[in-house]
Amino acid sequence: MTTTEHAPLTTPEVGGLGHSRKRVEDARFLEGRGNYVDDMTLPGMLHMAIHRSPLAHARILSIDTSEAEAVEGVVAVVTGELLAGYNLAWMPTLSGDTQAVLATDKVRFQGQEIAAVIATDRYIAQDAADRIVVEYEDLEPIVTPQRSLEADAPIIRDDKEGQESNLVYEWESGDKVATDAAFAKADRIVELDTFYPRSHPSPLETCGIVADVNSATGQATLYMTSQAPHAHRTVFALVAGLPEQNIRIVSPDIGGGFGNKVPVYPGYVVATAASLVIGKPVKWVETRTENLISTGFGRDYHMHGELAVTNDGKILGLRVEMLSDQGAFFSDAQPTKFRAGLFHIVTGSYDYPVAHVSTKGAYTNKAPGGVAYRCSFRVTEASYMIERLVQNAAYELGMDPAEFRMKNFIKKDQFPYLSPTGFVYDSGDYEKALKLAMEMVGYDEIQKEKAEGRADGKLVGIGIASFTEVVGAGHGDDYDILGLRMFDSAELRIHPTGKAILKLGVKSQGQGHETTFAQIVAEELGLPASDIKVVEGDTDNTPYGLGTYASRSTPVAGAATAMVARNLREKAKKIAAHLLEASEEDLEWEVGKFHVKGDPDSSVTIQDIAFAAYTNPGDSEPGLEGVHYYDPPNMTYPFGSYIVVVDVDPATGQWKVRRMVAVDDCGVKINPMIVEGQIHGGLTEGYAMSSMQHISFDEAGNCIGSNFMDYLIPTAWETPRFELGETVTPSPHHPIGAKGVGESATVGSPAAYVNAVMDALQPYGVKNIDMPVSADRVWAAIKNSGS
Ligand code: CDP
């Protein structure tokens, strides 16, 4: 990695910030000792399978469960009608909509849950579920948001009183009048119509639950694939009417989430209800196909963008209209005072005074979509839009795309920067990141090679994306889930022997929290990271938090961790003063100990102090533990510059990534190795989306992409090699200057890949190409250009 990093303050033995500490969680994963939901086996446990709709839109005339009930080993068959008796046929979603738990009136997407079978064995349950017979009356399937919003389209959500169209929401941001005025003055208006296709986060582990409701105690223990166990517990309390203290959600090891494990799925609710009624534990674990056809999709956004520019290359304003296909239920997690997420950064890394953005969401007969698939809100789509537009603007003006960007970047001294859509970017140095990426890739030489190659019919393309990101929701006044403020929490207990346990409200799904959060404590207290155990994902044993998604763990829970450690250091200082018989003002902190100013030999270590806290605390309250709830003052704004070089074969349309240079800035890094892993993952996902990964539907609403033969995910074979660089611009408001990084590369990189292919196609005057950029599409673009 090309780096501008500073030396760590702590030794490798202590392992504070900046050390590439090996992931402590890996030992159990590598030895097959992980503990996932499907590993859970409880005495007397039953298994559940779900009968799903084969149709996208149809009225249910009857449901016959008799054959299923007759199968030996079947304990119960649950239908929506049965659930309705417990007021559980519908549930609230995290976006304030409602969703059918088991369909009673209509089916609204292919794969929707209609009935569930509980049996002694998973295979018996599935066989019986297949024997359920449902009689339907076909209704027109609506598979595009455009058709959905036409006046004569059938109303998909006729269950909702007062719902007279298929519109889910309509939001706008910015100043329309001022933006129109800026456009009237522009020398040119650059346009782009593009579609960000529907894709699926497809974590390695599918969703599942083992619900164990003890009828004697009323205690419900739910082992669940949850990215947000505390928020889910509150939702369960509200949905099922169970007292919250009687619900314990345990989210054990999670095999990837990427936003897929944020929503509450019908399967969780039915398994819990079944366990409650039957009085035995019930396990439900999705198959791969069930996961791919029915759980939280991402993207599916139609976008039209316009950039007003002057002939000498200054951006004057931005106008964007977007239309989102939300599927049949609005069930991702959106803050109630939502200022449509894409607004945050749709103006990109560029400085111009005005913008106007409007967005609509429409119901369709598809599985619920719009989850923040490895992104905050809809910022992946926004970032893609602006970076494609900027590249197009440079072509129209005959300018080099890098030069056009440099000319319009928000400058380093303009931060904190108020964007035209009303968000305050905390910090950035976009010019530095792009310059470093250009140096690393050898920008000028490649441009030269490209020009020379064109004479011989060779197609080389160089594509840039200089993205800005936004991660770390809240502040709680602006961001919430069902009214729950988006803060997070950390509880730290230092035991008498100087070893510690850190409990968090967030929940890792593979990001390495057990490794990195211990490093924050190590930095603040000088306790070796290896002496600190990190615990997450158990609502009875961790403080309340809103969970892990949208790269919020480091900006929010990371800050809470630093703050609780600092609070304990304050208490430790009092105890140190007592032990050293000095006044607190006379003490100085160095890593892991206090000493008397001017007398370094007169010192006590943090371990000595921990022991004293339980044996000789002086006037202080005994013990050394605390909890901190952190409501961030603002989001953090990581950024980066990616440059992709591609070779395109004009005869076949095939394109190959020759170089991918990625310069990221996530502020202060806790663990450089883990950050690198996060970026590699994101760059791979960006490549996937740009080249192959999408889910489509036929006219009848059949999901094309219900398995990994149809839904293509790149393997190591196709994935390009990445060259990483970094700049370090600390977040000014985060206690340790860190910003999130988990999603940056997924958000930033798709535009770089597509811009590179577009660049290669410039000799043919190609104006646009949509993702996934398949060889067929490239070939057709060349052919249609008439050259
Ligand atoms: O919320 P999520 O864990 O998905 O994302 P994140 O906060 O961006 O963190 C992803 C992983 O990268 C965690 O293990 C972080 O501790 C680590 N990280 C880091 O080491 N330094 C940063 N500046 C940001 C994240």
Side-chain angles (χ1 to χ4, degrees):
M1 177 185 272
T2 304
T3 175
T4 55
E5 222 177 331
H6 306 292
L9 281 180
T10 55
T11 59
E13 290 69 40
V14 172
L17 303 183
H19 289 289
S20 285
R21 180 175 186 233
K22 282 204 176 140
R23 288 167 41 105
V24 294
E25 40 275 89
D26 283 354
R28 67 176 185 275
F29 298 143
L30 292 173
E31 288 183 24
R33 304 286 294 267
N35 186 30
Y36 297 88
V37 167
D38 204 17
D39 292 321
M40 298 282 171
T41 302
L42 299 180
M45 188 173 80
L46 301 171
H47 297 261
M48 184 175 98
I50 294 178
H51 180 93
R52 294 173 183 276
S53 170
L55 302 175
H57 199 191
R59 197 159 297 288
I60 296 175
L61 301 178
S62 65
I63 302 174
D64 182 356
T65 58
S66 54
E67 264 197 63
E69 280 159 18
V71 174
E72 200 181 327
V74 168
V75 177
V77 179
V78 185
T79 58
E81 203 181 303
L82 192 85
L83 288 182
Y86 297 87
N87 204 18
L88 280 179
W90 289 81
M91 63 179 182
T93 72
L94 298 182
S95 289
D97 195 3
T98 47
Q99 176 169 358
V101 178
L102 293 176
T104 45
D105 53 344
K106 288 203 306 191
V107 288
R108 294 176 170 86
F109 68 90
Q110 187 192 50
Q112 189 179 340
E113 302 79 359
I114 297 177
V117 175
I118 323 293
T120 49
D121 169 277
R122 179 178 180 145
Y123 299 96
I124 294 173
Q126 190 59 58
D127 286 348
D130 292 344
R131 294 188 190 193
I132 292 172
V133 181
V134 183
E135 218 187 325
Y136 299 100
E137 174 195 324
D138 281 345
L139 298 169
E140 178 195 332
I142 298 189
V143 292
T144 68
Q146 290 85 357
R147 168 70 188 130
S148 166
L149 294 183
E150 282 171 7
D152 67 337
I155 307 291
I156 295 171
R157 295 300 306 278
D158 50 357
D159 56 289
K160 291 175 79 170
E161 220 171 286
Q163 183 78 32
E164 281 166 7
S165 76
N166 289 319
L167 186 72
V168 184
Y169 60 75
E170 188 163 13
W171 288 309
E172 64 176 324
S173 179
D175 186 333
K176 183 166 171 20
V177 175
T179 306
D180 288 346
F183 271 75
K185 278 194 293 190
D187 293 329
R188 281 161 194 266
I189 295 171
V190 181
E191 293 187 54
L192 179 69
D193 262 311
T194 187
F195 173 53
Y196 204 124
R198 183 171 267 238
S199 56
H200 194 280
S202 50
L204 211 53
E205 178 203 28
T206 60
C207 298
I209 186 171
V210 175
D212 182 15
V213 187
N214 184 320
S215 52
T217 63
Q219 174 74 36
T221 307
L222 312 176
Y223 303 92
M224 231 171 102
T225 48
S226 167
Q227 292 183 227
H230 291 276
H232 283 165
R233 183 186 55 173
T234 302
V235 174
F236 264 84
L238 296 173
V239 174
L242 294 169
E244 199 165 353
Q245 81 279 12
N246 282 1
I247 306 172
R248 177 178 172 210
I249 293 190
V250 180
S251 206
D253 287 327
I254 303 268
F258 312 109
N260 187 239
K261 290 166 182 167
V262 174
V264 175
Y265 293 119
Y268 299 150
V269 178
V270 183
T272 306
S275 176
L276 179 73
V277 173
I278 299 167
K280 286 192 172 174
V282 174
K283 179 190 270 190
W284 166 70
V285 176
E286 287 173 332
T287 62
R288 174 63 55 195
T289 292
E290 287 181 296
N291 181 254
L292 278 171
I293 65 171
S294 71
T295 61
F297 287 86
R299 326 297 189 231
D300 216 343
Y301 230 158
H302 300 262
M303 307 188 271
H304 175 77
E306 294 173 296
L307 213 52
V309 291
T310 63
N311 280 336
D312 65 349
K314 276 302 283 176
I315 304 175
L316 300 178
L318 172 77
R319 215 156 36 194
V320 184
E321 279 174 24
M322 311 211 184
L323 176 58
S324 165
D325 183 332
Q326 290 293 145
F329 306 104
F330 186 31
S331 74
D332 46 356
Q334 304 292 347
T336 49
K337 280 184 214 162
F338 189 55
R339 299 174 291 180
L342 64 112
F343 296 160
H344 289 87
I345 51 122
V346 70
T347 51
S349 311
Y350 311 100
D351 179 27
Y352 44 91
V354 288
H356 182 253
V357 190
S358 59
T359 173
K360 283 182 187 170
Y363 288 118
T364 60
N365 291 119
K366 297 181 185 171
V371 297
Y373 168 15
R374 212 165 177 190
C375 84
S376 307
F377 322 109
R378 310 300 290 264
V379 298
T380 309
E381 292 93 320
S383 174
Y384 179 74
M385 174 89 227
I386 186 70
E387 284 307 302
R388 293 279 323 273
L389 256 183
V390 162
Q391 186 95 357
N392 277 6
Y395 292 143
E396 289 212 15
L397 293 166
M399 276 176 83
D400 178 282
E403 187 195 336
F404 182 77
R405 286 180 167 86
M406 291 285 190
K407 187 161 183 156
N408 287 286
F409 275 151
I410 301 162
K411 303 285 177 290
K412 190 181 161 188
D413 57 11
Q414 287 177 273
F415 292 93
Y417 176 83
L418 178 65
S419 79
T421 47
F423 296 89
V424 179
Y425 291 14
D426 67 346
S427 58
D429 189 348
Y430 304 140
E431 213 174 292
K432 188 171 171 187
L434 179 54
K435 271 192 185 145
L436 178 59
M438 289 169 76
E439 254 172 56
M440 286 173 64
V441 83
Y443 191 76
D444 294 340
E445 295 89 86
I446 290 180
Q447 289 290 21
K448 203 161 145 246
E449 185 205 321
K450 182 175 94 181
E452 287 167 4
R454 280 181 183 172
D456 304 331
K458 281 199 191 125
L459 292 183
V460 176
I462 182 160
I464 303 175
S466 281
F467 67 97
T468 215
E469 247 271 74
V470 52
V471 300
H475 183 278
D477 281 349
D478 293 327
Y479 301 96
D480 68 296
I481 290 185
L482 293 178
L484 301 168
R485 294 172 74 90
M486 293 187 83
F487 61 86
D488 235 284
S489 59
E491 181 190 309
L492 181 59
R493 296 183 185 175
I494 305 180
H495 306 311
T497 54
K499 315 289 175 187
I501 183 161
L502 174 70
K503 301 181 172 190
L504 300 168
V506 289
K507 172 63 198 156
S508 183
Q509 310 116 42
Q511 296 93 326
H513 291 180
E514 288 168 53
T515 308
T516 53
F517 283 83
Q519 291 183 255
I520 300 176
V521 176
E523 180 81 4
E524 297 295 333
L525 291 176
L527 289 175
S530 52
D531 286 350
I532 302 155
K533 182 162 100 179
V534 177
V535 174
E536 297 182 335
D538 180 345
T539 54
D540 268 10
N541 291 304
T542 55
Y544 204 102
L546 271 285
T548 290
Y549 37 85
S551 300
R552 64 185 297 279
S553 303
T554 303
V556 194
T561 301
M563 295 308 289
V564 72
R566 285 177 193 179
N567 292 344
L568 292 198
R569 199 165 73 195
E570 279 308 302
K571 179 166 183 189
K573 192 176 189 182
K574 285 192 184 0
I575 298 173
H578 160 67
L579 295 177
L580 293 168
E581 296 178 352
S583 82
E584 281 182 59
E585 295 73 51
D586 287 339
L587 295 187
E588 231 166 39
W589 172 254
E590 59 185 300
V591 177
K593 57 169 107 155
F594 281 104
H595 68 253
V596 178
K597 278 181 196 158
D599 182 8
D601 290 340
S602 200
S603 67
V604 276
T605 65
I606 188 76
Q607 288 84 356
D608 296 334
I609 298 168
F611 195 68
Y614 296 88
T615 56
N616 176 22
D619 291 339
S620 301
E621 223 177 80
L624 197 53
E625 49 185 72
V627 60
H628 190 92
Y629 293 85
Y630 185 81
D631 196 349
N634 189 10
M635 307 275 253
T636 66
Y637 289 74
F639 59 93
S641 267
Y642 297 160
I643 303 186
V644 172
V645 182
V646 294
D647 293 289
V648 177
D649 179 349
T652 62
Q654 295 221 315
W655 57 282
K656 206 166 164 39
V657 176
R658 191 202 298 179
R659 306 273 304 276
M660 175 12 140
V661 167
V663 172
D664 273 274
D665 191 320
C666 60
V668 172
K669 286 186 294 183
I670 302 161
N671 183 320
M673 180 193 71
I674 285 188
V675 166
E676 206 168 299
Q678 293 286 314
I679 294 169
H680 274 216
L683 296 175
T684 307
E685 273 179 328
Y687 173 67
M689 281 176 230
S690 66
S691 61
M692 62 183 84
Q693 189 173 302
H694 75 121
I695 286 188
S696 55
F697 291 77
D698 69 11
E699 284 170 8
N702 293 308
C703 175
I704 319 290
S706 60
N707 57 72
F708 286 152
M709 291 297 281
D710 295 323
Y711 184 52
L712 301 181
I713 289 177
T715 64
W717 179 258
E718 296 92 3
T719 302
R721 219 184 127 254
F722 307 124
E723 301 163 56
L724 304 192
E726 61 144 18
T727 60
V728 179
T729 311
S731 168
H733 62 78
H734 191 282
I736 59 165
K739 302 174 182 180
V741 73
E743 66 186 47
S744 291
T746 311
V747 170
S749 66
Y753 295 106
V754 178
N755 281 343
V757 177
M758 279 291 293
D759 191 54
L761 299 182
Q762 285 313 294
Y764 299 96
V766 172
K767 292 264 184 269
N768 193 12
I769 196 154
D770 263 344
M771 293 194 291
V773 181
S774 60
D776 285 355
R777 282 189 175 171
V778 174
W779 188 78
I782 293 174
K783 200 157 170 270
N784 295 337
S785 73
S787 306

